[in-house]
């Protein structure tokens, strides 16, 4: 650890960050390409049933075997990447926009607006994130739109607090004060000066949260509160294959678990690389 710290202090931090970003980006690009070309990479549809091959082991026409319903695991794992990536990225995007707007208003206006908004965020953050997601998902039900809303809702407060803290610092900087004294309206100051200079930590954390969003989605689907069966989704596939693993039929749940692991790893490497680059720039 001391050697790593020494390398970073002597300029190696930038190279280390670039390596992490490159590795993470490469993993995510491969996953995205696999999702986009899923129909070409498998001769079976994600919900197509082979009645003669229920729980067939890997090999032959089914490279990763089939599940209890005779659906091809390889095809379903590839097509599930579309849904998992889409929901996770959309949810984080909504959380970033909503949270940033709340944090911008609270941090720039201050006073009663700041107090009210922060107390509302306290209510949401008083619950563990996944428990809150479970409760909201149980109320709203499954479906893609509802899952995006649920995951965005539980992640937005963190962005709001992060942006609020940055805005409170940026609003006192000389160039912001110069813009005010030059006659710029509050909206111009906010959108042209304060907000763009308050989003740096958001850009660093968002990739990491994409990985956590995928885990949240998988957890909800595993518990039956996510994407309904037979739609291909990694968490639902793992849930359906849990009993098969005990019986020695590992191929029904291990492959989707590995796909999820690889994708979350890609987001984690990318986020850690961006964080390291930001720290190196700060030093």
């Amino acid at each position: 650890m001391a050697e790593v710290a020494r390398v970073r202090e002597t300029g190696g931090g930038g190279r280390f960050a670039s390596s992490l970003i490159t590795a993470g980006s490469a993993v995510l690009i491969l996953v995205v390409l696999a999702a986009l070309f899923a129909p070409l990479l498998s001769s079976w549809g994600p919900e197509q049933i082979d009645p003669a091959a229920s729980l067939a082991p890997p090999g032959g026409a089914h490279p990763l075997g089939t599940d209890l319903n005779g659906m091809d695991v390889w095809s379903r794992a590839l097509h599930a990447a579309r849904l998992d990536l889409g929901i996770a990225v959309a949810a984080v995007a909504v959380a970033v926009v909503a949270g940033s707007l709340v944090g911008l208003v609270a941090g720039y206006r201050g006073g009663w607006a700041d107090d009210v908004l922060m107390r509302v965020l306290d209510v949401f953050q008083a619950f563990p994130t996944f428990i809150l997601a479970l409760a909201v998902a149980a109320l709203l039900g499954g479906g893609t739109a509802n899952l995006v809303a649920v995951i965005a809702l539980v992640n937005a407060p963190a962005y709001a607090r992060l942006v609020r803290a940055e805005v409170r610092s940026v609003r006192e900087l000389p160039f912001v004060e110069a813009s005010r004294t030059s006659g710029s309206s509050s909206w111009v100051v906010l959108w042209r000066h304060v907000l763009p200079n308050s989003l740096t930590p958001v850009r660093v954390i968002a990739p990491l949260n994409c990985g956590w969003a995928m885990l949240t989605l998988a957890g909800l689907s595993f518990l039956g509160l996510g994407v309904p069966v037979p739609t291909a989704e990694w968490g639902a596939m793992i849930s359906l294959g849990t009993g098969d693993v005990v019986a020695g039929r590992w191929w029904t749940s291990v492959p989707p678990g590995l796909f999820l692991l690889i994708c979350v790893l890609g987001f984690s490497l990318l986020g850690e690389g961006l964080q390291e680059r930001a720290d190196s720039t700060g030093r």
Side-chain angles (χ1 to χ4, degrees):
M1 293 300 294
E3 180 65 19
V4 171
R6 186 186 66 79
V7 170
R8 292 179 181 178
E9 290 175 359
T10 57
R15 294 190 298 273
F16 182 65
S18 297
S19 299
L20 289 176
I21 293 172
T22 300
S25 299
V27 170
L28 292 176
I29 288 172
L30 288 175
V31 173
V32 170
L33 290 176
L36 290 176
F37 294 103
L40 301 178
L41 296 174
S42 175
S43 58
W44 295 86
E47 299 177 15
Q48 185 178 355
I49 295 175
D50 184 355
S54 176
L55 291 175
H62 304 285
L64 291 180
T66 62
D67 61 12
L68 179 63
N69 298 313
M71 293 185 287
D72 187 75
V73 174
W74 168 248
S75 175
R76 288 176 62 76
L78 290 176
H79 283 83
R82 297 180 173 187
L83 185 63
D84 283 68
L85 282 171
I87 291 178
V89 173
V92 170
V94 172
V96 167
V97 172
S100 296
L101 290 177
V102 172
L104 178 64
V105 173
Y108 190 76
R109 298 293 297 178
W112 66 268
D114 184 24
D115 292 337
V116 171
L117 291 173
M118 289 302 103
R119 298 298 76 76
V120 172
L121 295 182
D122 287 341
V123 173
F124 283 99
Q125 293 188 301
F127 300 92
T129 301
F130 188 70
I131 299 301
L132 180 60
L134 278 176
V136 178
L139 290 174
L140 296 180
T144 301
N146 287 345
L147 288 170
V148 170
V150 168
I151 297 173
L153 179 66
V154 300
N155 283 284
Y159 290 109
R161 288 194 177 278
L162 190 61
V163 172
R164 171 183 176 268
E166 290 295 312
V167 168
R168 288 170 67 89
S169 299
V170 171
R171 70 179 182 179
E172 306 298 334
L173 295 178
F175 71 89
V176 175
E177 186 62 31
S179 179
R180 291 197 197 97
T181 57
S182 66
S184 299
S185 65
S186 296
W187 286 106
V188 172
V189 173
L190 279 173
W191 296 110
R192 293 188 59 183
H193 302 292
V194 177
L195 183 60
N197 289 282
S198 302
L199 293 180
T200 298
V202 172
R203 290 192 289 267
V204 171
I205 293 177
L208 287 172
N209 273 5
C210 284
W212 285 112
M214 296 190 74
L215 291 175
T216 301
L217 171 62
L220 292 174
S221 296
F222 184 87
L223 296 175
L225 295 174
V227 177
V229 179
T231 304
E233 196 281 323
W234 290 330
M237 293 175 65
I238 296 171
S239 177
L240 291 174
T242 301
D244 296 327
V245 173
V246 178
R249 295 182 287 268
W250 56 268
W251 58 87
T252 57
S253 61
V254 171
L258 290 176
F259 270 77
L260 178 62
L261 171 65
I262 291 170
C263 201
V264 173
L265 176 63
F267 279 118
S268 297
L269 290 174
L270 179 59
E272 290 292 340
L274 292 174
Q275 178 68 60
E276 181 64 30
R277 175 173 290 179
D279 292 344
S280 298
T281 302
R283 288 193 292 267

